[in-house]
Amino acid sequence: MRVNILGYWGGYPTAGGATAGYLITTDEGQILLDCGSGVTSKLFYYTQVENISGVILSHLHYDHMADIGILQYAAAGAIRRGVMKQKLDIYAPDQPKEMLNELYSPHSNVRIIDPSQTIRLAGAEIEFAPVRHTIACYAVKISYKGKVLVYSGDTAYCESLIDFAKDADMFLCEATICEGSTHTTGAGHMDSLHAGMIAKKANVKKLVLTHLPHDGNFELMKKVASEAYGNPVYIPNVHSSFVI
């Protein structure tokens, strides 16, 4: 799998940046994992909407779904041009209802995530696990040809993530809280120490910190996470690309 980081900011993007969005490419298709503010414009550097096998929204906060309506406009155009034969499949939690209702459109199929069920997209098996956020939110595991990517979603420290991420080849883990930062109150979020601790206990092969605070000390965050993890830790940029 190739993983392109389209956006990694928490809350709101920087100039030219984007909030949560990750493009996963297999030999059989592409998956868009979260679709935050600015993600659609970044997506089009790599692909077009008609190539997307499905969109997964970890939860229904704007920094993870703000661009979904824009992507639906692109899907509508692709369907009119005849280059997209099917509606855009969107997988999302069923709460909050008012946010879920925003997803419905004539050009999309909205599918409610059931954490007890495994789905298949782009030839990959995808599993979900509830995590500790302020609204319903899911961690996501994508398995393809013996390789495993795990995404934490937004969550406070969560012991169940250790088992869920066990031996993953790559762990995209939120690290919103940073000493000295005023970016967040911290509710439903982790710091880089927690991210490193989970990565260590889960024995993941690569840790990438995401959902970053705008006023965070990234070198400090990376150092703290790396000491807890026992391995190098990656802080993404808008050009970050990984192959697992």
Side-chain angles (χ1 to χ4, degrees):
M1 291 182 283
R2 178 176 293 278
V3 181
N4 290 106
I5 310 291
L6 307 179
Y8 53 86
W9 294 108
Y12 55 94
T14 56
T19 58
Y22 313 91
L23 178 65
I24 293 89
T25 302
T26 73
D27 294 336
E28 300 171 57
Q30 294 181 309
I31 302 161
L32 180 59
L33 181 53
D34 278 341
C35 190
S37 177
V39 164
T40 300
S41 66
K42 304 298 182 185
L43 177 72
F44 291 153
Y45 282 112
Y46 302 101
T47 192
Q48 297 297 319
V49 65
E50 60 265 26
N51 300 325
I52 301 298
S53 303
V55 180
I56 297 171
L57 300 178
S58 63
H59 64 293
L60 301 180
H61 275 156
Y62 285 121
D63 54 338
H64 294 256
M65 62 169 284
D67 260 22
I68 195 68
I70 305 305
L71 190 64
Q72 287 171 318
Y73 285 156
I79 290 170
R80 284 197 300 271
R81 296 194 308 275
V83 296
M84 189 169 176
K85 306 303 181 184
Q86 297 179 330
K87 294 180 179 182
L88 184 67
D89 284 332
I90 301 172
Y91 295 80
D94 63 355
Q95 296 290 334
K97 286 294 185 185
E98 65 273 18
M99 302 297 280
L100 177 67
N101 290 339
E102 293 292 316
L103 302 181
Y104 290 95
S105 86
H107 310 289
S108 304
N109 294 315
V110 177
R111 307 185 187 279
I112 302 302
I113 293 172
D114 179 349
S116 69
Q117 300 293 317
T118 298
I119 65 171
R120 289 189 68 87
L121 287 174
E125 288 192 352
I126 302 170
E127 302 168 70
F128 304 93
V131 289
R132 296 174 54 205
H133 195 39
T134 55
I135 61 171
C137 182
Y138 294 101
V140 182
K141 181 188 293 185
I142 301 176
S143 304
Y144 183 73
K145 292 187 176 180
K147 299 294 184 179
V148 177
L149 165 70
V150 173
Y151 171 49
S152 69
D154 282 10
T155 181
Y157 183 84
C158 189
E159 287 283 338
S160 60
L161 256 181
I162 296 168
D163 286 337
F164 192 65
K166 192 70 174 175
D167 298 325
D169 295 280
M170 182 173 175
F171 184 33
L172 292 169
C173 188
E174 82 116 274
T176 313
I177 302 169
C178 178
E179 183 179 351
S181 167
T182 60
H183 180 84
T184 178
T185 60
H189 291 290
M190 286 191 286
D191 59 19
S192 61
L193 174 62
H194 287 147
M197 289 169 60
I198 291 174
K200 174 69 173 179
K201 292 178 180 179
N203 192 40
V204 303
K205 296 179 178 66
K206 184 174 292 183
L207 171 60
V208 181
L209 302 181
T210 65
H211 207 268
L212 303 179
H214 289 263
D215 56 353
N217 182 335
F218 293 165
E219 288 305 312
L220 174 62
M221 292 172 68
K222 189 159 62 171
K223 180 177 182 292
V224 168
S226 182
E227 288 175 352
Y229 175 38
N231 290 290
V233 172
Y234 298 87
I235 297 279
N237 59 50
V238 292
H239 304 293
S240 292
S241 178
F242 302 90
V243 176
I244 59 174

